[in-house]
Amino acid sequence: MVPVGPADRFDAFRALADRCGRPGDRLIESLAEARAGTADGPEAWAPAVAARIGLPAAAALGPASYYADLAAPHGRRHVRVCSATACFASRGGRHLTDVEQELGVTAGTASPDGETSVQAVRCLGYCYAGPAALDGDTPCTGAALAAQLARREPPRAPEIPAADDTGDPVLLGGVLWDEPAWQVWPQAVTNRTPHDVHQEVAASGLRGRGGAGFQVAAKWAAAGRHPDTVVVANGDEGDPGSYADRLLMEADPGRVLEGLALACFACGARRGMVLVRSEYPRALARLREAVGQAYADGHLGPSVHATTTALDIQVVEGAGSYVAGEETALIAGLEGSRGCARPRPPYPTERGLWDAPTVVNNVETLAAVPWIVARGGAEYARRGASGETGTKLVCLAERFARPGAYEVELGTPVRRIVTELGGGLKDGAELVVLQVGGPLGGFLAAEALDVPLTEAALAARGAALGHAGLVAFDASVAPEDVLRHLWQFAAAESCGACSPCRVGSRRGLEMASAGGPPGEEYRRLSRVLAEASLCAFGRRIPPAVRSLARAYGERLAGWDQ
């Protein structure tokens, strides 16, 4: 028998879908249409969707039972309530109970008449104004959330506050000062080469802003300029506490698309895609509108600006899954499968979407590319910190006196961001613990904020930069509740592809819910999670729990193992 290596691994779903024209996102969209307005489980409607496309029932039941948006019952009125960290910190999680009582519907169910359903989700990107909910596609935020959903008060959803701390923003020029997008692309595609663009990005030292921090130019080079290369803009910004990508996609979608176009040009790709979280309906609409305008203006199409360059861009809606933001899980979702992480190698740049070389960059990363190409990689590299160049959007959550998205240079002290930009906590509350980069990013004690905002410096403190969302906890939330919330997030969002994470996250939640120090069993569990999990999600759980325990000290004794 000839051994089959990782690069030759047979995927039955891919083989079936390939014979049916690779339905991919069309399958997910069809499932979402079938789900709308029904409280029935996927087994009642998903097989018919599969049959229409020519796939077996299991091909539709898999994603329909996996993605949160598809698995949750939907009444004629569907309300999504944010239960993520920033909204949890704002009210200690009590807002969800208030909504359930006000509407008479428990989260995860629909009313008996099928009129109203409630779904608890993570996150809606209104961390600066939480707690938050989407009533259909209408956002509601603030202390009077339940009253807004009961329609006793009008819905309120303020725009994202944004400010620049650099003096020369890379990312916020269009948001703050209406600097037009698509100023770099026409000149690049007509007068420069793909190598020129790649070299400028290489000189800039730009790293991915989605959490992994990989060198962007190195990832582009790994795709080898294969003509079938696909570049994906990852707008599945799932880290609770971050809304930078939502800001860019809603307020300056042209810049995101221009960065994607430049990335495609440098990679030799003729196809680009943007994946947008379903929790961001306005961003989805703005990007689709911007793509249509880009085609009309000649920026996209079979002969871009009368050159031999062809480029098509498609916008795809996600279906609700945190782990589906991990690049292999994201690719699985784009193919119409469950958004589970896949073993590597092969890496996506070698065999990704439908086995084509695939480059995945997050939205903020791509939004920086037009500035770099226009001003030069060396100019960008002069900004930021040694080894971590450039600027970063930092999102401050609702507990701060001045919440919002701030563009700062990497290396800016976290304490300065908290006290000067954020103004400390509102109403004179005292900061106890700061979450950095999402629940699995890590936590810092109030007295441990004298650290530069860089991946290396935060990692030395047991935290991670991630999307750089900052969520403040004051004394009104008990440490035990924060610990349990972290484990609830891990257990709910584990994709289930590997048993260390699937079983370990649930067992950790049981231990946290039991109270008291976890003991020797947790030491073993922590080692298995950190060493044997398939992807970074499971591996990050123990360090995040450890950083939380160290930040709270004796009150979470035993969890700092």
Side-chain angles (χ1 to χ4, degrees):
M1 179 179 291
V2 178
V4 177
D8 301 313
R9 187 181 296 112
F10 179 73
D11 187 309
F13 174 80
R14 276 183 171 180
L16 281 168
D18 199 32
R19 292 201 296 269
C20 297
R22 299 180 178 180
D25 56 289
R26 183 159 50 89
L27 171 60
I28 301 298
E29 288 179 0
S30 298
L31 289 170
E33 291 170 1
R35 157 53 79 196
T38 177
D40 293 337
E43 66 281 355
W45 45 268
V49 173
R52 287 197 297 271
I53 297 175
L55 292 172
L61 283 168
S65 59
Y66 173 83
Y67 291 105
D69 289 354
L70 303 177
H74 281 228
R76 286 177 287 277
R77 177 194 182 194
H78 187 60
V79 177
R80 288 176 281 182
V81 183
C82 182
S83 62
T85 316
C87 290
F88 171 79
S90 70
R91 293 283 312 282
R94 295 184 298 276
H95 66 287
L96 179 58
T97 302
D98 293 344
V99 170
E100 290 175 326
Q101 293 176 347
E102 193 72 63
L103 299 182
V105 181
T106 302
T109 70
S111 58
D113 60 2
E115 182 60 34
T116 304
S117 55
V118 175
Q119 178 188 357
V121 300
R122 307 167 185 83
C123 139
L124 295 175
Y126 288 88
C127 318
Y128 57 94
L134 284 177
D135 187 356
D137 287 343
T138 301
C140 302
T141 67
L145 177 66
Q148 293 173 49
L149 292 172
R151 296 173 176 168
R152 295 196 306 275
E153 295 191 17
R156 290 194 293 271
E159 296 294 322
I160 298 174
D164 171 57
D165 184 57
T166 71
D168 182 13
V170 171
L171 299 161
L172 291 182
V175 175
L176 298 176
W177 301 319
D178 293 325
E179 291 179 358
W182 296 111
Q183 301 302 298
V184 181
W185 171 240
Q187 185 273 337
V189 77
T190 55
N191 298 322
R192 303 181 74 169
T193 68
H195 179 73
D196 293 336
V197 174
H198 184 271
Q199 286 299 102
E200 292 295 354
V201 173
S204 75
L206 178 66
R207 292 179 177 269
R209 300 304 193 219
F214 197 79
Q215 286 277 3
V216 172
K219 180 181 279 192
W220 290 2
R225 289 191 49 78
H226 192 281
D228 292 332
T229 298
V230 181
V231 181
V232 180
N234 184 355
D236 198 353
E237 179 186 42
D239 277 350
S242 178
Y243 43 89
D245 289 357
R246 181 170 84 82
L247 171 65
L248 293 170
M249 290 188 289
E250 290 184 2
D252 200 4
R255 197 168 313 274
V256 174
L257 296 175
E258 184 176 23
L260 175 58
L262 288 163
C264 289
F265 186 59
C267 293
R270 295 170 294 192
R271 184 185 179 199
M273 302 181 76
V274 188
L275 176 69
V276 185
R277 307 180 70 220
S278 64
E279 295 89 344
Y280 290 176
R282 185 180 175 192
L284 183 70
R286 289 299 315 278
L287 274 165
R288 284 178 169 164
E289 177 185 348
V291 166
Q293 188 61 51
Y295 274 102
D297 293 339
H299 299 313
L300 304 174
S303 178
V304 174
H305 294 298
T307 68
T308 58
T309 297
L311 179 59
D312 288 303
I313 290 179
Q314 176 187 8
V315 180
V316 179
E317 182 178 9
S321 168
Y322 176 83
V323 174
E326 190 273 339
E327 60 180 10
T328 63
L330 178 150
I331 289 167
L334 290 175
E335 292 174 344
S337 187
R338 295 160 60 95
C340 296
R342 291 170 170 169
R344 294 179 286 186
Y347 291 89
T349 50
E350 178 187 356
R351 291 180 60 179
L353 184 67
W354 300 115
D355 286 334
T358 303
V359 171
V360 181
N361 291 137
N362 101 302
V363 161
E364 184 180 337
T365 306
L366 292 169
V369 173
W371 193 98
I372 291 169
V373 175
R375 303 276 287 272
E379 182 67 22
Y380 187 87
R382 280 192 280 270
R383 311 181 69 172
S386 176
E388 298 187 40
T389 61
T391 69
K392 181 79 186 76
L393 287 179
V394 178
C395 296
L396 274 58
E398 178 270 345
R399 288 288 84 197
F400 287 95
R402 292 190 291 272
Y406 295 84
E407 185 168 355
V408 304
E409 294 210 6
L410 283 167
T412 302
V414 173
R415 186 175 299 280
R416 178 173 176 271
I417 296 171
V418 168
T419 59
E420 295 183 25
L421 301 184
L425 270 58
K426 62 174 54 174
D427 302 325
E430 183 178 349
L431 175 68
V432 178
V433 165
L434 182 73
Q435 176 190 287
V436 184
L440 304 186
F443 299 81
L444 300 172
E447 61 272 15
L449 302 184
D450 295 312
V451 54
L453 187 80
T454 65
E455 182 60 52
L458 289 168
R461 303 291 184 92
L465 179 62
H467 274 83
L470 303 185
V471 178
F473 287 91
D474 57 29
S476 67
V477 185
E480 298 80 6
D481 291 340
V482 181
L483 175 68
R484 187 165 52 251
H485 179 78
L486 192 162
W487 279 110
Q488 286 171 340
F489 173 85
E493 294 296 340
S494 171
C495 76
C498 68
S499 57
C501 180
R502 181 181 67 250
V503 178
S505 60
R506 294 173 185 173
R507 182 62 187 133
L509 176 57
E510 291 172 359
M511 293 179 184
S513 300
E520 178 61 30
E521 181 187 354
Y522 177 66
R523 278 191 287 272
R524 294 194 299 269
L525 175 68
S526 177
R527 286 196 299 270
V528 172
L529 274 165
E531 297 174 10
S533 293
L534 180 62
C535 76
F537 182 91
R539 295 193 294 268
R540 277 298 310 169
I541 297 172
V545 172
R546 194 177 304 123
S547 70
L548 178 65
R550 290 173 178 170
Y552 273 118
E554 287 299 317
R555 296 188 65 178
L556 293 181
W559 289 96
D560 56 348
Q561 304 165 38

